[in-house]
Amino acid sequence: MNIVSTRQEQAFSNPLAMRAASRNGSWTKETSGTAPGYVQANLAILPSALADDFLRFCVRNPKACPLVGISEKGSPRIPDLGVDLDIRTDVPRYRVWEGGELAAEPTDISDLWSDDLVVFAIGCSFSFEEALIANGIGLRHVAEGHNVAMYRTNIECVPAGPFSGPMVVSMRPLAPADAIRAVQITSRMPAVHGAPIHIGLPASIGIENLDQPDYGDPTRIMPDEMPVFWACGVTPQAVIEAARPKFAITHAPGCMLVTDKPNAALIAF
Amino acid sequence: MNIVSTRQEQAFSNPLAMRAASRNGSWTKETSGTAPGYVQANLAILPSALADDFLRFCVRNPKACPLVGISEKGSPRIPDLGVDLDIRTDVPRYRVWEGGELAAEPTDISDLWSDDLVVFAIGCSFSFEEALIANGIGLRHVAEGHNVAMYRTNIECVPAGPFSGPMVVSMRPLAPADAIRAVQITSRMPAVHGAPIHIGLPASIGIENLDQPDYGDPTRIMPDEMPVFWACGVTPQAVIEAARPKFAITHAPGCMLVTDKPNAALIAF
């Protein structure tokens, strides 16, 4: 989720060009700021024996795991997210997991592909962050060019098969009036985590120290601001890691699947 | 805004019966809990020389002064709020102001009526409180049978002519998840104050001590709750009082104008 330079943004002003650069290996890092206006997604690829359980997990935990696409078994394509999209090559960098351990970070998974795999694309906060910024709501982690602060909570996800664990949340400090406006804006975007799940009292959801996020970087909170918490796409990744499947593939942190779906198309009402 | 007994609620299950009881003098007190499901309104009656300024004040401060009805000059009727409605008799109790001083609290203003008066009906929090309760969000001041806590803020209303002053807010303590849901629900009801204007940090809006409301009764806040603040219909009354017009009439506190408009008709989207 690092902020890329203006030059890089200009180089990939549309999702087709971004995916092409991932495909030919010329872009192997974070996608934040590229292809502005288009949905970026968290990626999870699982063997079919686990896919049904994971799908039920997503349906049962829609705020943390909002599905924006799912492939046919064995197909590396999700045409609804891009007609040319090939999941084996179009993400800049992947993480390969074996028994819950990180085994590799390739930039292409063609040699790992099999007819048994199912692809899940899960909504990402980049979409609603763009909407917040478009509404004049500043985001400190974006302005300061670091990763959003993320925390494990004491909110247990609804389990499905081997998948269970705590909800992970991202935190953005906002002035109260901006927090209220942010609830309005993100309520309209249920496909990318929707409304915040908590505001103001971190201890109530099991977060003891905001200065020590479990993922990402700490973000300063000013005296006239409150911490606002959204369900986070790191949840399904943490849940998959904890389930220790023999084999799984995810995106590398910040290296998202860039789709052809406009962020505006996610606005529900 | 006191809570009336179940028997009284049953006695006035519809707005026509409620207004008839006000009209014939058999009901002279608070209207909270009567005619459930229907809009109740704050009342302001002003000489025509001030009406244009006050109308502009309402338009410029829609969260505190959401207009749900306005009469023709000299007419005591607002047919949109009730075909039979006669503003001279249909409010249980009025307050008559002379030079900013309370002059009388009659139950009928027929003898004070003139062709020069203009009637303003302004949305009231009863409508959104009903929506919150219908969504399973408990309101402590309702459960405990006392008035909502209200506070003057350091937020200046946008002035118009002689009308100016601070926004008055009402406060309801809510758990964070309920506060988020309450933002969603009340955002849909702009005609009755709409979304909260503040949450969580009372000092930011000039409220130093929540235990000492400027109007109404204090409400306890539990450690897992946050104070949520809505713009309040007491704002226009305080502004009128401060402008010290030679003559004005408002409703007495809690003795609202009960209309035929369903609360459901206020839901904007």
Side-chain angles (χ1 to χ4, degrees), chain B residues 65-78:
Chain B
C65 311
L67 282 171
V68 294
I70 182 170
S71 75
E72 297 294 318
K73 175 183 166 186
S75 170
R77 303 194 179 275
I78 306 180

Side-chain angles (χ1 to χ4, degrees), chain B residues 47-120:
Chain B
S48 63
L50 290 170
D52 278 359
D53 284 332
F54 189 70
L55 178 53
R56 282 187 301 127
F57 183 83
C58 292
V59 169
R60 288 173 178 170
N61 299 282
K63 296 207 80 161
C65 311
L67 282 171
V68 294
I70 182 170
S71 75
E72 297 294 318
K73 175 183 166 186
S75 170
R77 303 194 179 275
I78 306 180
D80 187 44
L81 300 183
V83 285
D84 67 308
L85 191 155
D86 186 329
I87 208 70
R88 297 170 295 191
T89 54
D90 288 7
V91 168
R93 187 177 293 274
Y94 303 81
R95 283 190 161 177
V96 180
W97 302 87
E98 293 177 3
E101 303 294 325
L102 181 60
E105 275 211 6
T107 60
D108 184 311
I109 56 165
S110 297
D111 58 336
L112 297 169
W113 192 256
S114 87
D115 287 348
D116 185 51
L117 296 176
V118 178
V119 183
F120 297 85

Side-chain angles (χ1 to χ4, degrees), chain A residues 25 34 45 51 60 74 82 107 111 130 140 165 171-172 182 204 211 213 233 241 253:
Chain A
T34 71
I45 302 175
R60 289 173 178 170
T107 61
D111 58 336
E130 185 178 276
R140 186 162 298 117
M171 186 282 289
R172 293 161 189 80
S204 292
D211 294 333
E241 195 178 331

Side-chain angles (χ1 to χ4, degrees), chain A residues 95-125:
Chain A
R95 282 189 161 177
V96 180
W97 303 86
E98 294 177 3
E101 302 294 325
L102 181 61
E105 275 212 6
T107 61
D108 185 310
I109 56 165
S110 297
D111 58 336
L112 297 170
W113 192 255
S114 87
D115 286 349
D116 185 51
L117 296 176
V118 179
V119 184
F120 297 86
I122 296 168
C124 157
S125 61

Side-chain angles (χ1 to χ4, degrees), chain A residues 85-247:
Chain A
L85 191 156
D86 186 330
I87 208 69
R88 298 169 296 190
T89 54
D90 288 7
V91 168
R93 187 176 294 274
Y94 304 81
R95 282 189 161 177
V96 180
W97 303 86
E98 294 177 3
E101 302 294 325
L102 181 61
E105 275 212 6
T107 61
D108 185 310
I109 56 165
S110 297
D111 58 336
L112 297 170
W113 192 255
S114 87
D115 286 349
D116 185 51
L117 296 176
V118 179
V119 184
F120 297 86
I122 296 168
C124 157
S125 61
F126 290 170
S127 298
F128 77 68
E129 289 187 340
E130 185 178 276
L132 295 176
I133 292 166
N135 273 267
I137 297 175
L139 299 176
R140 186 162 298 117
H141 75 283
V142 173
E144 296 184 351
H146 58 73
N147 289 334
V148 75
M150 293 167 276
Y151 306 86
R152 280 189 293 273
T153 68
N154 62 9
I155 303 168
E156 281 297 311
C157 293
V158 183
F163 300 108
S164 66
M167 182 188 287
V168 178
V169 294
S170 59
M171 186 282 289
R172 293 161 189 80
L174 296 174
D178 284 347
I180 291 164
R181 181 72 182 132
V183 170
Q184 295 176 319
I185 293 165
T186 58
S187 291
R188 300 176 71 202
M189 303 181 84
V192 285
H193 305 305
I197 60 106
H198 192 84
I199 189 167
L201 299 171
S204 292
I205 55 172
I207 300 172
E208 297 304 333
N209 188 349
L210 287 174
D211 294 333
Q212 296 184 335
D214 297 300
Y215 309 89
D217 303 315
T219 300
R220 287 175 301 139
I221 304 179
M222 303 306 182
D224 62 347
E225 293 176 335
M226 292 201 310
V228 185
F229 299 91
W230 278 267
C232 177
V234 168
T235 309
Q237 296 198 52
V239 160
I240 289 171
E241 195 178 331
R244 300 186 168 277
K246 283 187 182 169
F247 181 75

